[in-house]
Amino acid sequence: MDKSLKNKQYFKFCSYGFLKNLRFFDAFLLLFFLESGITYTQIGVLYALREIIINISEIPSGIIADTYGRKKSLIVSFSLYILSFLIFYFFNTFYLFILAIIFYGIGDAFRTGTHKGMIMDYLALNKWSHHKANYYGHTRSWSQKGSAISALIAGCLVLYSGSYRTIFLYSVIPYLINFINIYSYPNVLDYSLNTQKERKKKTLIFVFKSFIKSLKQPKVLQIINSSALHSAYLKAIKDYIQPVILQITLIIPFLLSMETKRKSGIVVGVVYFFIYLLTSYASKKSFKISELIKGNVPRLTLILGLTSGLVCGILYHFELWVLALIFFTCIYIFENIRKPLLTGEIADHVAPEILTSVISAQSFFGTITTSIIALSIGVLSDYQGLGVAFIIVSSILLLFTIVLNLQKFKNSSKISKL
């Protein structure tokens, strides 16, 4: 990327993503739930509920961010995250976990799309919009680096404390630091419609109407649908990599005298560290990959990601843990190749003043799919096993994707004949 783009604000954007992803519990969340006596079905309920809460809050939160200020939206988001972390730390019952998930879901809704909108506005103000895919890919790569460092720190915390619970408390610290970072953003990026110099009567109703209008554009809807499925799939299944890593931990010969939980701290932390280094690199190089590969990269990576999930389920079922881990990692990599490209493409077809709302709509469609996948995986895992659950869900989504693409191909062929 051009060095002239790497100014003070660029590093603030990168710092935001880095600090945001220092969620030390991420690498151990499913193991924490299992340790607390939560079944896979209950885990599926928690994940599905989180997505339903996001679903309900997604579009209103995006519109509020566009209307009353994005910095305020992010501060509210981080405050709700912290409240959620504290509930997980202090309590140990399924029903209070539901409350924590609700706070987490609302916080996620207030954050989703907001920061991306600020980045796109910043590029537009500086007449750098033609760099958006590359620029966003670089800033997102710092988010993945944050996840990598987070996994290592979390592993050390579990090794030291022998508990998965304490990592929720430590997760509060980087989020408090990010408050300061967000407040330091220039006010022009707050983008409050009520304080613009134009003084037009741009109310919530105005923004909502503009938002609905943008969704009527076929290209925008096509992009949203294309990007939602793979992101939803990964979001629903990503924590299930933890039982795979735990199985590998049990067969590793070194540190045999160490208790499983402390040993898992080392192995899970190191594995996640390298996974996120790979995803960081994938995000950073996504723009170059799109230039090298001829064809529709989002569609190709969607099919490859779902296929990787299917193969992972087969390998898990036959207890080929290491190979299952490799294919699971591929799903992470494909997602991080896709996301910067799709974000830039959305910005090309949406008016800047409602960009946050439309990016939120992308998540809105995705959360519906995520909740269905999460609940299905949870129930199937309790009754059929985790491997079979992956096989069934991945096969259905892959079949749906192939049929949809064939249908599009038939429609385009009919049009060309006419």
Side-chain angles (χ1 to χ4, degrees), residues 12-173:
K12 287 183 180 181
F13 286 146
C14 292
S15 297
Y16 165 87
F18 181 82
L19 291 167
K20 171 185 69 69
N21 278 27
L22 290 182
R23 294 181 296 201
F24 304 129
F25 61 87
D26 258 358
F28 297 92
L29 183 59
L30 194 138
L31 297 179
F32 165 75
F33 283 146
L34 293 175
E35 180 193 48
S36 301
I38 305 298
T39 66
Y40 279 116
T41 299
Q42 289 175 319
I43 291 171
V45 169
L46 289 174
Y47 287 178
L49 177 62
R50 178 187 63 193
E51 301 312 311
I52 291 169
I53 295 299
I54 294 172
N55 198 329
I56 294 169
S57 310
E58 192 71 66
I59 291 179
S61 67
I63 295 173
I64 290 169
D66 281 332
T67 307
Y68 297 111
R70 291 165 174 168
K71 291 204 290 186
K72 295 184 184 70
S73 180
L74 289 174
I75 294 300
V76 170
S77 170
F78 277 52
S79 300
L80 290 169
Y81 278 141
I82 290 172
L83 185 56
S84 173
F85 300 163
L86 293 176
I87 293 174
F88 278 125
Y89 175 72
F90 285 109
F91 301 100
N92 193 35
T93 64
F94 174 67
Y95 294 105
L96 284 171
F97 286 171
I98 289 177
L99 181 62
I101 283 292
I102 291 173
F103 286 133
Y104 190 95
I106 298 173
D108 224 28
F110 271 87
R111 180 191 61 79
T112 303
T114 301
H115 197 257
K116 295 184 185 74
M118 296 174 89
I119 292 175
M120 296 305 164
D121 279 346
Y122 179 75
L123 294 175
L125 287 168
N126 288 277
K127 303 186 187 306
W128 294 341
S129 293
H130 55 289
H131 293 293
K132 56 184 167 287
N134 197 15
Y135 191 95
Y136 177 67
H138 276 71
T139 58
R140 180 174 169 76
S141 74
W142 276 97
S143 299
Q144 301 305 305
K145 289 173 185 174
S147 296
I149 298 298
S150 174
L152 278 185
I153 296 174
C156 292
L157 291 172
V158 172
L159 176 63
Y160 174 76
S161 65
S163 170
Y164 299 136
R165 187 173 301 278
T166 56
I167 50 184
F168 285 100
L169 187 61
Y170 287 107
S171 295
V172 173
I173 299 172

Side-chain angles (χ1 to χ4, degrees), residues 133 136 223 286-290 297-298 336-346:
Y136 177 67
I223 295 166
S286 62
F287 185 70
K288 289 187 176 180
I289 292 171
S290 69
V297 176
N336 283 277
I337 292 173
R338 293 164 49 82
K339 205 149 191 177
L341 300 176
L342 290 163
T343 300
E345 199 170 352
I346 287 174

Side-chain angles (χ1 to χ4, degrees), residues 368-397:
I368 298 173
T369 309
T370 303
S371 60
I372 295 172
I373 296 173
L375 194 55
S376 300
I377 288 284
V379 174
L380 287 170
S381 294
D382 273 337
Y383 290 96
Q384 299 293 330
L386 187 56
V388 174
F390 266 72
I391 293 169
I392 294 173
V393 172
S394 300
S395 297
I396 292 172
L397 295 176

Side-chain angles (χ1 to χ4, degrees), residues 7 147 153 182 255 303 345 350 395:
N7 57 14
S147 296
I153 296 174
I182 293 167
L255 302 176
I303 293 173
E345 199 170 352
V350 177
S395 297

